Amino acid sequence: MTGNQASAGHLLQLIREGRATTRGALQRATGLSRSTVGHRLDQLFAAGWLREGEATPVEGAGGGRPSTRLEFDAEHAVVLAADLGTHRTSAAVVDLAGTVLAERSGEMLITAGPDHVLDTLAQWFAGLLKETGTPHGRVCGIGLSVPGPVDWASGLVVQPPIMPGWDGFPIRGRLQEAWRRHIATDVPAVPVLVDNDANLMAYAEQRAGYRDCAAFLLVKVSTGIGAGVVVDGRLYRGIDGGAGDIGHIRLHDCPDALCMCGSYGCLASVASGGALAAQLSDAGVATASASDVRDHLAAGQPDAVRLAREAGRRVGAVLVTVVTLLNPGVLMIAGDLAGTPFVTGVRELLYQRAMPRTTAHLEVVTSRLGERAGLLGAAASVVEDLYSPERADARLAALGG
């Protein structure tokens, strides 16, 4: 990084990432003068984004005075985050380090439509803030995870098979409006970031346990099937948010299987949690949803175990191509079906059909963060966006910095 690139936002990034955490280290990393570094740090301190930590010894200083350590103040603001499922939603207040301060989960049908869901969500947020005693003005953004394809730039859900009534709906504006109404105060509108659930789960899981993995792939198998891809620490979304929609890859031997998207033969029509729920019901095992399938698997129900392993093999056959193309270091299976039978089926087909070189350094694992992955990913995406160098500089300028 050269001096003319090292704005206050860039210095903040160096501090947040732990690459330069003293004034001297920032000078060395950026080539900026001591006075310029001091001026830009003053901007960050004035905004409340930095704090001074414990002093650290100066290397090679012969016992000189320790340098004051600079830290990102993760407590100066909070993020509101929500993970919308097809039948259940979770919401939370999260600090900027990813610590959940208050959380609520409950049944909420995505099919109830965006007006009802977003209004209820805003009500939950208001209650959670009150629970934590956090002033409304400390909310810096809202992150929302949804079970459908999202155009990242516009924040619009695009042709979601399992979200009737949400296609093209202005989620950002509607949620901002509902939020301000429920807190009954004229605070400025906060940014709302919307993304696909598998994307945000992948982002959270990669950051939490696999930061050194340059190519990370998460496959979520619940009501539907989707994938999130993180390359070099950044989500890969494709040109309009359609990357990872593997549930709608067509299978040649299932021409009569009707998918939720209206087409026939999609992977999700035979191997998703929704598909297995229907198959179990047809077999006389009462199963209303993917979460019911999960419960049957936990109880060792024989039909559920058999079908989950078969579904894993179906998904594994598709993942042979995906893994060959992406060459990931980690393949994580998540969602309602992410248990031993399903993962065993995935492994069987993957290692049987993929070239040995493709799988030689591949880890096939299950979720570390569990049901919180989407929630934490939604919160992290807001923080990373708002405190990126460009956004941070723009926000400082708006503050008069």
Side-chain angles (χ1 to χ4, degrees):
M1 182 184 299
T2 60
N4 61 359
Q5 291 178 314
S7 65
H10 285 98
L11 265 60
L12 179 65
Q13 184 178 45
L14 290 172
I15 294 167
R16 290 185 62 225
E17 294 178 351
R19 290 189 284 159
T21 57
T22 64
R23 287 169 171 80
L26 289 169
Q27 287 177 243
R28 293 189 292 273
T30 63
L32 295 175
S33 68
R34 179 178 179 179
S35 62
T36 302
V37 167
H39 172 69
R40 294 181 181 174
L41 289 178
D42 287 343
Q43 293 177 278
L44 298 171
F45 276 111
W49 299 353
L50 286 187
R51 64 186 177 196
E52 293 185 342
E54 293 184 4
T56 55
V58 180
E59 292 185 13
R65 189 174 69 179
S67 298
T68 301
R69 180 179 177 83
L70 302 170
E71 299 175 348
F72 179 60
D73 186 351
E75 299 176 358
H76 78 266
V78 297
V79 173
L80 302 177
D83 181 17
L84 302 185
T86 54
H87 295 85
R88 191 173 182 82
T89 286
S90 296
V93 179
V94 186
D95 74 12
L96 303 186
T99 301
V100 174
L101 306 178
E103 183 176 5
R104 175 175 177 176
S105 297
E107 183 175 319
M108 190 186 302
L109 298 178
I110 201 77
T111 53
D115 284 311
H116 171 76
V117 170
L118 297 177
D119 190 69
T120 303
L121 191 57
Q123 184 179 355
W124 285 15
F125 282 150
L128 289 168
L129 268 190
K130 185 176 181 180
E131 180 182 330
T132 63
T134 305
H136 305 132
R138 285 184 57 203
V139 175
C140 66
I142 300 175
L144 190 61
S145 166
V146 299
V150 176
D151 181 278
W152 170 250
S154 67
L156 299 178
V157 178
V158 182
Q159 299 177 4
I162 59 178
M163 299 176 67
W166 291 77
D167 184 22
F169 188 86
I171 294 174
R172 288 175 175 169
R174 181 67 180 83
L175 185 52
Q176 287 171 336
E177 173 192 327
W179 163 240
R180 295 174 75 176
R181 185 173 66 253
H182 277 287
I183 61 175
T185 184
D186 191 24
V187 296
V190 296
V192 175
L193 276 67
V194 186
D195 206 345
N196 169 261
D197 54 359
N199 280 349
L200 293 176
M201 291 171 69
Y203 189 55
E205 294 279 9
Q206 191 269 344
R207 288 164 56 87
Y210 302 93
R211 280 186 179 266
D212 294 334
C213 180
F216 179 92
L217 170 64
L218 179 143
V219 177
K220 179 187 179 184
V221 188
S222 289
T223 300
I225 301 175
V229 181
V230 181
V231 177
D232 292 333
R234 299 175 63 88
L235 275 168
Y236 177 75
R237 298 184 176 90
I239 59 171
D240 60 4
D245 204 5
I246 64 171
H248 301 287
I249 291 175
R250 305 288 177 83
L251 306 179
H252 66 87
D253 59 343
C254 302
D256 299 324
L258 177 62
C259 183
M260 294 173 288
C261 71
S263 298
Y264 288 86
C266 295
L267 177 65
S269 69
V270 293
S272 65
L276 265 62
Q279 294 168 30
L280 286 168
S281 294
D282 290 343
V285 181
T287 314
S289 66
S291 60
D292 287 346
V293 177
R294 179 189 60 203
D295 293 341
H296 288 319
L297 289 171
Q301 206 284 333
D303 291 319
V305 170
R306 173 179 56 81
L307 290 173
R309 184 159 181 168
E310 290 177 4
R313 290 172 61 84
R314 286 280 190 187
V315 173
V318 169
L319 288 178
V320 170
T321 301
V322 176
V323 166
T324 301
L325 177 66
L326 294 178
N327 189 210
V330 174
L331 164 61
M332 177 174 284
I333 307 298
D336 289 318
L337 266 61
T340 299
F342 184 89
V343 175
T344 298
V346 169
R347 287 175 178 274
E348 284 178 5
L349 262 290
L350 191 58
Y351 288 104
Q352 174 186 331
R353 296 187 181 179
M355 293 288 290
R357 184 189 180 284
T358 303
T359 57
H361 303 290
L362 176 68
E363 290 184 69
V364 181
V365 300
T366 53
S367 172
R368 290 188 174 193
L369 300 177
E371 294 185 354
R372 272 188 169 177
L375 200 66
L376 295 176
S381 71
V382 173
V383 176
E384 293 307 311
D385 180 73
L386 291 181
Y387 294 92
S388 66
E390 296 77 14
R391 287 295 300 275
D393 288 332
R395 293 172 65 205
L396 288 172
L399 291 171

